[in-house]
Amino acid sequence: MGNEEEPLWRKSANYLLHYAFSLKADLEGALGNELDVGLADHEALINLKHSGGALRMTDIADMLVLSRGGITKLVDRLEHSGYVRREASKEDRRVTLVQITDEGLALVAKSRGILDRVIKDSWASKVSDKDARTVLEVIERVYDDSA
């Protein structure tokens, strides 16, 4: 009973999950220590930057898999720091839009460099382009099937 080999699918998924937790902790630590922001803050700002305009708070919450309370706290923190501004939608006053500020764009540039450094140290220094391409293909296939 105890000598059964763990199925490869389970072992690979467990390694992926544990690596993701470890990488997330490293990214959180670096961002917190160097910029006093969290990974969710960075991800919200990146999504706002890439939107080219404003996003609804509910859209940001969905992108980050946050509750309504969670996104409110996150946006409160970012707004207090000057990284975003809120405004009511002109089309629907019940909707709150969030837009990145120039300070937020500057923070994204700094945080992107920190994340790149941590990921290079943890991942890119150990994985060839060929291996990275294979991992990406597998993760995209699994992710696309689950979405």
Side-chain angles (χ1 to χ4, degrees):
M1 287 262 309
N3 292 335
E4 292 177 22
E5 180 130 349
E6 183 175 25
L8 199 52
W9 59 264
R10 182 185 303 143
K11 187 174 182 179
S12 63
N14 282 337
Y15 268 89
L16 180 63
L17 182 61
H18 289 286
Y19 174 73
F21 286 150
S22 175
L23 179 60
K24 183 178 184 223
D26 291 347
L27 295 171
E28 286 280 2
L31 288 172
N33 290 336
E34 296 180 43
L35 297 176
D36 197 29
V37 296
L39 188 56
D41 301 332
H42 168 81
E43 291 300 315
L45 292 170
I46 283 286
N47 282 298
L48 287 164
K49 176 184 176 190
H50 290 292
S51 76
L55 289 174
R56 298 179 314 164
M57 285 191 48
T58 54
D59 293 334
I60 301 169
D62 290 345
M63 291 172 187
L64 302 180
V65 193
L66 291 175
S67 66
R68 291 175 93 172
I71 193 61
T72 298
K73 288 177 186 175
L74 184 142
V75 172
D76 284 348
R77 189 171 56 247
L78 292 175
E79 185 177 41
H80 178 75
S81 298
Y83 300 133
V84 300
R85 66 176 161 272
R86 285 185 236 217
E87 57 190 51
S89 168
K90 291 178 175 73
E91 292 82 36
D92 185 346
R93 299 282 298 161
R94 297 171 295 177
V95 172
T96 301
L97 299 172
V98 181
Q99 191 165 21
I100 193 167
T101 63
D102 289 340
E103 291 85 359
L105 291 170
L107 180 69
V108 165
K110 291 177 189 173
S111 61
R112 180 76 268 162
I114 292 168
L115 296 183
D116 284 351
R117 184 188 74 235
V118 171
I119 294 168
K120 281 179 183 174
D121 289 347
S122 173
W123 177 263
S125 64
K126 299 168 183 75
V127 177
S128 70
D129 285 350
K130 180 182 176 201
D131 289 341
R133 193 172 297 108
T134 301
V135 170
L136 181 60
E137 288 170 1
V138 171
I139 291 173
E140 283 177 338
R141 185 172 61 241
V142 172
Y143 184 78
D144 289 346
D145 284 350
S146 70

